[in-house]
Amino acid sequence: MGASAIGAPRFARAADEPLRIGWLAALTGPSSAPGVGFDRGVKFAAETLNAAGGVKGRKIEIITRDTQGDPTKAVNATQEMINSVKVDAIWGPTNSGESLAVTPIMARARIPNIHPCVIDSLIDPKKFPNAFRIAPSNEQWDDATRNYCLKVLKVKKIAVIGDTTGYGVSALKASVANFKRDGADVVYSNNIDATQPDMTPDMTRARNAGAEVIVIWSVSTGMEARLFNARGEMGWDVVFAGHPSMASGEIRGLLSKPQNWDKVYAVGYRSCSYDAGGKLPPRSQEFVDKVKGKVNLDDTLFWWVTAGYDAVQMVAKAVQESGATSKDIIAYWNTLNPYQGYFGNYTYTPEQHNGYPTADVVMSAANSAKHGTFALAPGYA
């Protein structure tokens, strides 16, 4: 029965049926920090739309499945959403390991899919014409991190650490290759189980190898906090740079000392960066004011919440402006040039489904959080 549903055309629903948006979310487990932040934006977007009457009279219904960061659970949830629940579109998954497993399934079902996963191969308009990325690609993240290390910090000896997820393995491999291509000396690299309790052995190897910066590719805030704590216990002032989750608010409660978060620079965004006077860009401040008292931004990242909000709004906008079939939604997204969201202004064409502007990817001081936004890392104008 499942096989017969895959690939079948998806038709518009009756006008009084809810607009069902599948939400594949890692809400628990070691990779859950982004999912929790995205979820707040998803819920707020649905509540806002429904309070305004829904979309063409249809209420938004969010169908959430906690995948726990497990690709098998993500596959099962995706098949349920397509074959049983019959969602109109799917937002997620929230990490690339899961998305690698489910993207082909969604493509065969021609289900509109928008996700924040960064592995470059997940976006291919020919293989996956239904899949759109709302966040930067890992190439954009990697470029921002590498350029900061080599051109701003002006270091040459690099250690690269990833976790053992599909994302961590692929991101580390790409990062090492790109650093070497640009003339850096990668003196140490390793994939670490995110649940490993003691990070001292890896940190010691990196120090003994002469690393001047440690680049991290993982969404596990627990793993990152243990790395920061190990550095502090070693009395080593090496810089950390890399994944946005290193700036997640929940790290604060995992640190043995507050200063262990110093000299940590995470990938960030212009829309999520405040200036020397503490002011955000006007549109970002508009969102902060909109959610005040309704959504907690202090223990998560602004971009996670705003990306979740934008994704739901983009599904609703497609149905409002074009129609409710899968074909209608995908065709509408292909015309966005740009779509003004709160996380960013996304541009898509039939040939390009990477929508986030590269110029807006920057590095942030991880411990400078204010409502999930950050000061730019040292060295930016």
Side-chain angles (χ1 to χ4, degrees):
M1 182 167 60
S4 66
I6 296 297
R10 305 180 65 81
F11 299 98
R13 299 277 176 76
D16 59 346
E17 285 192 52
L19 174 57
R20 297 188 178 97
I21 301 175
W23 169 211
L24 294 170
L27 297 176
T28 58
S31 302
S32 61
V36 172
F38 291 132
D39 191 56
R40 293 178 189 176
V42 167
K43 289 176 178 174
F44 184 69
E47 290 167 2
T48 301
L49 287 162
N50 286 336
V55 180
K56 293 183 176 178
R58 297 172 63 187
K59 292 292 186 180
I60 303 293
E61 183 179 345
I62 305 296
I63 310 298
T64 305
R65 295 293 181 267
D66 181 5
T67 63
Q68 300 178 316
D70 183 336
T72 300
K73 287 183 171 63
V75 167
N76 292 337
T78 298
Q79 292 173 332
E80 177 199 2
M81 287 179 177
I82 293 171
N83 298 330
S84 301
V85 181
K86 300 189 183 302
V87 296
D88 296 280
I90 293 178
W91 155 234
T94 54
N95 69 58
S96 295
E98 295 173 78
S99 200
L100 286 167
V102 303
T103 293
I105 297 172
M106 295 189 213
R108 289 195 294 273
R110 302 179 223 171
I111 188 78
N113 174 228
I114 189 161
H115 68 72
C117 302
V118 299
I119 286 182
D120 299 299
S121 63
L122 289 171
I123 293 299
D124 185 330
K126 291 184 178 179
K127 289 174 62 177
F128 312 127
N130 61 305
F132 295 73
R133 195 187 332 253
I134 198 172
S137 66
N138 197 70
E139 182 179 359
Q140 289 171 295
W141 279 2
D142 189 61
D143 286 349
T145 300
R146 188 175 65 261
N147 288 337
Y148 186 72
C149 291
L150 300 182
K151 297 179 180 179
V152 179
L153 298 179
K154 299 186 184 304
V155 297
K156 288 293 185 181
K157 294 183 177 181
I158 316 294
V160 186
I161 293 175
D163 58 33
T164 53
T165 64
Y167 166 71
V169 172
S170 63
L172 179 141
K173 182 179 178 181
S175 183
V176 168
N178 289 334
F179 269 116
K180 289 181 176 179
R181 181 200 65 202
D182 287 356
D185 183 9
V186 179
V187 297
Y188 181 71
S189 66
N190 194 24
N191 288 101
I192 303 173
D193 188 321
T195 63
Q196 180 176 308
D198 185 6
M199 300 295 170
T200 305
D202 283 276
M203 290 293 291
T204 300
R205 294 184 193 106
R207 183 175 64 179
N208 291 345
E212 298 171 295
V213 63
I214 298 180
V215 174
I216 304 295
W217 298 115
S218 174
V219 301
S220 173
T221 52
M223 169 180 157
E224 289 158 352
R226 290 192 293 277
L227 285 164
F228 305 158
N229 287 335
R231 178 188 63 173
E233 291 164 5
M234 294 165 63
W236 190 19
D237 66 350
V238 69
V239 168
F240 284 99
H243 198 278
S245 61
M246 294 197 299
S248 177
E250 67 182 44
I251 285 180
R252 189 181 307 277
L254 301 174
L255 297 172
S256 56
K257 296 178 181 178
Q259 56 266 38
N260 289 352
W261 218 357
D262 293 345
K263 290 190 174 181
V264 177
Y265 305 121
V267 171
Y269 310 99
R270 295 282 180 188
S271 64
C272 310
S273 302
Y274 55 83
D275 63 19
K279 292 184 178 180
L280 289 170
R283 186 155 174 80
S284 299
Q285 186 60 51
E286 177 185 309
F287 188 83
V288 171
D289 295 340
K290 185 191 292 280
V291 302
K292 187 175 182 179
K294 301 173 184 176
V295 177
N296 184 11
L297 298 173
D298 291 332
D299 63 348
T300 187
L301 299 186
F302 183 82
W303 87 264
W304 289 341
V305 179
T306 50
Y309 180 91
D310 287 348
V312 172
Q313 290 282 351
M314 287 172 68
V315 175
K317 187 72 171 177
V319 173
Q320 180 70 44
E321 297 295 328
S322 63
T325 69
S326 298
K327 185 177 180 180
D328 291 334
I329 294 171
I330 293 168
Y332 176 78
W333 287 347
N334 276 326
T335 68
L336 299 180
N337 187 24
Y339 174 89
Q340 188 179 46
Y342 281 108
F343 174 40
N345 293 337
Y346 317 103
T347 298
Y348 303 104
T349 69
E351 295 76 33
Q352 178 56 268
H353 289 182
N354 284 308
Y356 200 85
T358 297
D360 288 351
V361 185
V362 294
M363 301 301 290
S364 302
N367 63 354
S368 64
K370 183 174 67 174
H371 303 308
T373 65
F374 300 88
L376 291 170
Y380 284 99

